[in-house]
Amino acid sequence: MGKGKKKKNDESSAAPKQPFSEALRAGKGFSLADADPRATTAFEGDKKAGQQALADMGSELGDLQERLYAESKVDGHRSLLLVVQGMDTSGKGGIMRHVVGQFDPQGVKYTAFKVPTPAERRHDFLWRIRKGLPSAGQVGVFDRSHYEDVLVVRVHDLVPRQEWRGRYKLINEFEREVTASGTTIVKVMLHISPDEQKARLMERLDRPDKHWKWNPGDVDERLRWDDYLAAYQDAITKCSTAAAPWFVVPADRKWYARLAVSNLLLEHLRAMDPQWPDDVDFDVATEKERLAAS
Ligand code: AMP
Ligand code: MG
């Protein structure tokens, strides 16, 4: 009897944690207004433990990335695309440094999407996005994305309503096409609270070394918070598809957001399970002989 009881305790303490990709996925009925930006979903631990857990993931991420690249050299066509969206100060830069920075930069294709240039404007909104897609074996990273075309564009009426309304469907078709061609898409929204944003913006003004980041327009954007919230809610509701779901990451705690995005990448790469190519077109023994004799 004593044994039985002990076994039960062991089982519960060893219960697998819910994967971040399940816990953070914006499913049916998801409500951004009800999502807590301070949450530490799917992680039991404090900041120190979170930072350690992040540091511990680097080598596996690097190994999986190298496998993905190696696989593509033989017959692979697969790649990974991380899409990062979020309000100003939500921590996109920190994700680039601390999460994407764990990868070998040779295999990363990074694109930051700014206000479209005149040249970009001459094409449809997905033109510049297609150019940023990763090739086989690469990890693509979008710092902002085609979603700006239904976010800032919608909030500021940069195109007629009828036009942006048609874009959700175009985005879903585009992403379906991209995933069908072998690219796994991980879409992340860094979710911060207006209070946290205020504190982060104030810090930029308090610190001379952060003044270069200051953009007076950020305060104007802040005043449109509810409009952005509605635009994000629609983008998430309409474009969280089976092929490319949205993950909403609580981002008031920077350490947690970095840990969560890193885990999302790790879980997706593990599921892709890239393999070292084994059908090389040379004979190892012969090559060893030739090398030794050289
Ligand atoms: P940052 O990421 O802080 O360098 O700012 C880039 C700016 O470009 C943000 O204010 C975005 O809203 C803006 N932006 C990005 N894509 C678009 C777009 N398609 N149309 C209009 N503005 C955009
Ligand atoms: Mg900015």
Side-chain angles (χ1 to χ4, degrees), residues 46-57:
D46 58 7
K47 179 174 177 175
K48 204 163 161 244
Q51 288 172 329
Q52 186 58 50
L54 178 65
D56 290 346
M57 285 160 60

Side-chain angles (χ1 to χ4, degrees), residues 42-94:
F43 185 70
E44 285 166 27
D46 58 7
K47 179 174 177 175
K48 204 163 161 244
Q51 288 172 329
Q52 186 58 50
L54 178 65
D56 290 346
M57 285 160 60
S59 64
E60 189 181 353
L61 275 174
D63 178 65
L64 287 163
Q65 180 198 12
E66 194 179 346
R67 283 169 184 266
L68 185 67
Y69 185 76
E71 177 192 88
S72 79
K73 290 293 133 197
V74 177
D75 65 347
H77 56 284
R78 299 192 299 168
S79 60
L80 182 74
L81 173 63
L82 172 68
V83 174
V84 184
Q85 282 288 158
M87 299 288 279
D88 287 314
T89 76
S90 59
K92 294 189 289 294

Side-chain angles (χ1 to χ4, degrees), residues 8-267:
K8 204 171 175 187
N9 280 345
D10 282 350
E11 270 170 12
S12 66
S13 66
K17 279 183 297 179
Q18 194 186 19
F20 285 78
S21 346
E22 271 172 34
L24 298 174
R25 176 192 297 246
K28 217 172 160 39
F30 172 81
S31 162
L32 193 53
D34 296 329
D36 177 8
R38 283 194 71 76
T40 56
T41 313
F43 185 70
E44 285 166 27
D46 58 7
K47 179 174 177 175
K48 204 163 161 244
Q51 288 172 329
Q52 186 58 50
L54 178 65
D56 290 346
M57 285 160 60
S59 64
E60 189 181 353
L61 275 174
D63 178 65
L64 287 163
Q65 180 198 12
E66 194 179 346
R67 283 169 184 266
L68 185 67
Y69 185 76
E71 177 192 88
S72 79
K73 290 293 133 197
V74 177
D75 65 347
H77 56 284
R78 299 192 299 168
S79 60
L80 182 74
L81 173 63
L82 172 68
V83 174
V84 184
Q85 282 288 158
M87 299 288 279
D88 287 314
T89 76
S90 59
K92 294 189 289 294
I95 295 294
M96 300 310 150
R97 272 192 304 282
H98 299 276
V99 179
V100 176
Q102 298 176 105
F103 289 123
D104 179 345
Q106 296 177 94
V108 173
K109 179 167 177 174
Y110 169 85
T111 314
F113 293 97
K114 310 284 183 183
V115 176
T117 62
E120 287 171 342
R121 266 184 224 287
R122 283 196 285 277
H123 302 269
D124 77 283
F125 78 103
L126 291 172
W127 180 77
R128 64 176 186 163
I129 306 297
R130 288 182 193 278
K131 291 205 299 177
L133 290 174
S135 311
Q138 283 185 323
V139 173
V141 180
F142 285 179
D143 185 340
R144 301 187 189 268
S145 66
H146 42 305
Y147 283 96
E148 291 293 328
D149 294 281
V150 290
L151 292 167
V152 65
V153 167
R154 163 175 162 164
V155 169
H156 291 282
D157 299 311
L158 301 181
V159 302
R161 182 181 172 87
Q162 203 189 336
E163 191 170 338
W164 61 254
R165 284 188 66 86
R167 288 180 174 171
Y168 300 102
K169 190 165 164 269
L170 294 173
I171 289 174
N172 286 343
E173 284 167 6
F174 167 69
E175 291 182 356
R176 208 176 307 124
E177 175 199 316
V178 170
T179 53
S181 73
T183 303
T184 297
I185 305 180
V186 180
K187 298 188 294 199
V188 166
M189 186 231 172
L190 300 175
H191 181 42
I192 54 164
S193 65
D195 285 350
E196 179 64 21
Q197 189 195 51
K198 192 175 207 167
R200 291 182 188 179
L201 285 173
M202 196 57 84
E203 196 194 337
R204 285 186 184 175
L205 287 179
D206 283 341
R207 288 178 51 180
D209 64 321
K210 297 269 181 176
H211 284 175
W212 65 274
K213 282 193 182 185
W214 184 257
N215 170 8
D218 289 350
V219 178
D220 304 304
E221 294 303 282
R222 205 180 133 67
L223 294 170
R224 308 294 298 272
W225 193 274
D226 290 346
D227 295 334
Y228 272 104
L229 203 66
Y232 266 106
Q233 177 68 58
D234 260 2
I236 292 166
T237 304
K238 294 180 195 294
C239 302
S240 198
T241 58
W246 268 105
F247 299 99
V248 175
V249 173
D252 272 9
R253 301 174 202 258
K254 288 180 179 173
W255 66 265
Y256 172 76
R258 292 166 190 172
L259 177 69
V261 176
S262 205
N263 270 288
L264 287 171
L265 291 173
L266 188 59
E267 288 168 12

